[in-house]
Every structure is written in structure tokens, then in C-alpha cells.
Amino acid sequence: MELERHAPKRRVPVAAPRMADPHPLFDDTSAAGGGGGGGAQPGRGYGGPPPVSSPYPPPASFLREPVSSLAVVYGSSLASQGRDIVDRNLDRFIPVGRLKYYFAVDTVYVGRKLGLLIFPFVHQDWQVRYQQDTPVAPRFDVNAPDLYIPVMAFVTYILVAGLALGTQNRFSPDSLGLQASSALAWLIVEVLAVLLSLYLVTVTTDLTTIDLIAFAGYKYVGMIIGLVFGLLFGRTGYYVVLSWCCLSIFIFMIRTLRLKLLSEAAAEGVLVQGAKNQLRMYLTMAIATAQPLFMYWLTYHLLR
């Protein structure tokens, strides 16, 4: 007891009052609730006025907006320049603007053109109409060449050939691909042969390569009709209908190409004279005669 009375007493340090942090990381919202003893801080509690935003944007926005707008302008200019370069180089090899003319067709034109290919004997006027030195679109003139019918006829011919092979248990993907590549190869050979002949004969004509492709592709219409009748009525129906279609395409090519290859005098019905005009006439006959040969060559082996 004596020792405890004379021992020095330790003083517990009293915690000093905490000073308010001049820059707190988080706002003190303990007084904003309803359970605390203090009142709600003005502008912080429920129902208080919303915080007033500054009418001036932050300083960083002055740097972001010009940079982003400059990037958008630069990107759009690069895209337009790239598009122009692609269009120029594409038009050099594939005249896209010219191709639009050959696909400007409608249902009425397709029906009339198919009738003209099958029954060319009843057609009288074979002149292509022009408007301001430019041929009118195919949908306005049945005599104008188009690419819609040749392309669709080529695809349909491949499908009908596959059907014919399938009915005879000879179908295979390889045979169908071989049929398509063979037909496309013969078409290219035919067009190149005509171009070479025009160059050797030195014929001045407005026929283009696309025109030749269109005229060479019309024979697939007769080939499809011959194959369909062959599937329905056998070899006899095939030979009868294909013979009619061969004669029709021969007449169609003669009456169409004579206005393109022969002289203006021949187009008006005047007797063709001169060695060059005779060469043009022979060339027209050769192109027209090649159509029935190709039609038979590409279809006879599909029916047995």
C-alpha cells in the first residue's frame, strides 16, 4: 500500500482535437442523413437546390474538340481521296458507269427481248434509237443490247445442266464446275476471236467488247429451252426445239450485226459492193453461224 501511494501516477495523454482537413478526399455526408443530430447542410440535403454548374467548359475541352474535329476532317478527306483513286483505277479496267447502262432493264423489256430472241421473224425495225448521240437505255428500246439476260441465262443454263446430269445419275460438283468453266472459256474465246477478226479486217464500228459479250450470251436462252424440252420429251424434243432456237439466233445475229458491221449503204438495203464490205459481210455470217455450233456443242452431251 505504501508503494502504491508513493509511485508516480502516469498521465494518459488526452487526444487533441482533430483539425479539419482542408482538402478532404470525400465529402462528409454524415450530417445529411436523417439519423444524425446535426441539421442538413445547405445544398446537400433532400430538397435542396441543385448544384450550380459552371457556364464555362473545362480547360481540357478546348484541346479535345479541335483535335477531334481535325481528325474527322482529315479522315473524311483521306476516304474521299481513296474512293476517287479506286474509282479511277476500276473504271480503267471495268467501266462501272457503262455497265449500269447494260443493266437498265425492266420486266417489259425482258419479256419483249425473249420474244425477239425466239421469234425474230416478225420483228421489222432493228435500228437502235439514240438520244443526243447516246443510245437509249435497254428498257426503252428492245433493240439495245443488255447484260441482264445473258448473265441470268448463263446462270440458269448451269443449273439446268446440273438438273440434266442429276436425272441421269451423273451429277457431281466437279462435273458442274467443269460445265460452268467450259461454257465461260468458250464465251471468252468467241469474244476474243471476234475482236481479232475486227482488228484484221479493220472495221470501224461502234461495237464494244461488252456489246460482243451481250450478243454472244443471248444463245444461252435457246440452249436452256432446248435442254428443258429434252428433259420433258427426250432427244426428239431436244433436237426439234434446239433447231428452232438455232435458226432464231442465226436470224437475230444477222439482222442485228449487219447494222453494226456493214456500211451505212448496206444498212439501208443497198447492194454491198467492195472488197472491204464483202469481208464485213463474211464476218457477220461467221459470227451468226458460230452461235448454233456453240449451242449444240455445249448441250448435246448433257442428254443421253
Side-chain angles (χ1 to χ4, degrees), residues 18-25:
R18 298 180 59 183
M19 301 297 293
D21 193 357
H23 302 287
L25 294 177

Side-chain angles (χ1 to χ4, degrees), residues 110-127:
V110 172
R112 293 179 59 191
K113 193 72 170 188
L114 293 177
L116 180 60
L117 293 173
I118 302 173
F119 304 101
F121 316 98
V122 297
H123 192 63
Q124 300 298 327
D125 185 15
W126 293 85
Q127 289 282 355

Side-chain angles (χ1 to χ4, degrees), residues 68-92:
S68 60
S69 60
L70 181 61
V72 170
V73 173
Y74 184 69
S76 61
S77 64
L78 282 181
S80 61
Q81 291 177 4
R83 192 185 310 113
D84 294 339
I85 294 174
V86 171
D87 293 341
R88 263 197 318 270
N89 294 330
L90 189 61
D91 287 338
R92 185 182 303 175

Side-chain angles (χ1 to χ4, degrees), residues 220-231:
Y220 292 108
V221 175
M223 294 163 57
I224 294 170
I225 298 175
L227 285 176
V228 171
F229 274 82
L231 292 175

Side-chain angles (χ1 to χ4, degrees), residues 175-230:
S175 62
L176 190 63
L178 180 62
Q179 189 69 28
S181 60
S182 176
L184 184 60
W186 280 113
L187 179 64
I188 295 175
V189 169
E190 179 185 357
V191 173
L192 291 179
V194 174
L195 290 175
L196 180 61
S197 302
L198 292 176
Y199 175 77
L200 295 177
V201 180
T202 63
V203 175
T204 303
T205 177
D206 58 350
L207 275 176
T208 62
T209 305
I210 304 179
D211 292 335
L212 296 177
I213 295 175
F215 289 131
Y218 286 138
K219 62 176 172 286
Y220 292 108
V221 175
M223 294 163 57
I224 294 170
I225 298 175
L227 285 176
V228 171
F229 274 82

Side-chain angles (χ1 to χ4, degrees), residues 99-113 136-142 144-150 152 218:
L99 286 177
K100 293 180 181 179
Y101 164 81
Y102 290 93
F103 285 95
V105 300
D106 55 8
T107 306
V108 177
Y109 167 82
V110 172
R112 293 179 59 191
K113 193 72 170 188
V136 298
R139 65 175 177 268
F140 301 119
D141 186 9
V142 71
D146 71 286
L147 284 178
Y148 177 80
I149 293 178
M152 297 303 297
Y218 286 138

